[in-house]
Amino acid sequence: MSAEARLRFYARFFDVVEVNASYYAIPDVLTVRRWAERTPPGFVFHVKAWSLMTGHHPRVQTLPADVQALLPARPRRSPRGEILADEVPPEGLDAAFRLFQAALGPLEAAGKRGYVLFQFAPWVHFDAARLDYLASLPARLPGSTIAVEFRHRSWFPDHAD
């Protein structure tokens, strides 16, 4: 089945989907528009935040030009060749949020955008800076419902509140 046929098939039986592809790369706005067009009214897309936005190391080929332009000349890389998340300056992260928000525009316009899931990297520990980052998410993605998944044990049970 083509991607279009799969989505149409799923939409016959389900009224919601969690988009995983957006974790690997910020989706193209034309692709997102097609998602909205190919599903019935009331269908909802919950969308995973792009890897960089969750402390993961993005693959070089997924870096938007606006983000790549802000990297150091020789950014450090993970053993798998990904750009280390802390090599991206704050302006690059801001650009990523702007691009991600714009990409989701067609879902918002169609009333089909659900939550944005921030599935944090397993090495993202509880600390004051991370709490500040979490507090910044609503302003970075206006109008979004934010869902968060912590995968490091420092968050629970001591910091569940």
Side-chain angles (χ1 to χ4, degrees):
M1 279 184 159
S2 68
E4 176 182 358
R6 274 192 315 272
L7 180 58
R8 289 185 189 277
F9 178 77
Y10 293 153
R12 289 177 40 210
F13 302 99
F14 302 103
D15 61 0
V16 64
V17 68
E18 183 178 277
V19 177
N20 204 32
S22 53
Y23 164 80
Y24 296 100
I26 295 174
D28 178 75
V29 71
L30 179 58
T31 299
V32 176
R33 185 177 306 124
R34 288 179 180 150
W35 294 343
E37 293 169 354
R38 293 172 177 169
T39 53
F43 193 87
V44 174
F45 292 84
H46 299 302
V47 182
K48 281 190 178 182
W50 181 44
S51 58
L52 178 66
M53 298 158 57
T54 61
H56 288 89
H57 311 308
R59 295 178 306 181
V60 176
Q61 62 270 30
T62 69
L63 289 173
D66 293 6
V67 176
Q68 199 160 6
L70 297 167
L71 290 176
R74 295 180 154 242
R76 293 177 299 127
R77 295 177 182 237
S78 74
R80 296 188 311 188
E82 304 146 327
I83 301 296
L84 294 183
D86 62 1
E87 288 291 284
V88 179
E91 301 81 22
L93 187 58
D94 292 344
F97 272 95
R98 283 192 306 276
L99 294 166
F100 192 83
Q101 177 81 342
L104 299 184
L107 293 180
E108 182 69 24
K112 295 183 176 187
R113 184 171 72 174
Y115 59 72
V116 177
L117 173 60
F118 284 78
Q119 185 181 50
F120 285 100
W123 52 84
V124 173
H125 297 198
F126 174 86
D127 65 23
R130 193 55 65 178
L131 288 177
D132 290 344
Y133 181 75
L134 289 170
S136 78
L137 295 178
R140 290 174 179 262
L141 293 174
S144 294
T145 298
I146 305 296
V148 178
E149 179 181 333
F150 300 110
R151 294 163 58 197
H152 189 272
R153 64 186 304 189
S154 65
W155 291 92
F156 295 104
D158 295 340
H159 303 290
D161 290 343

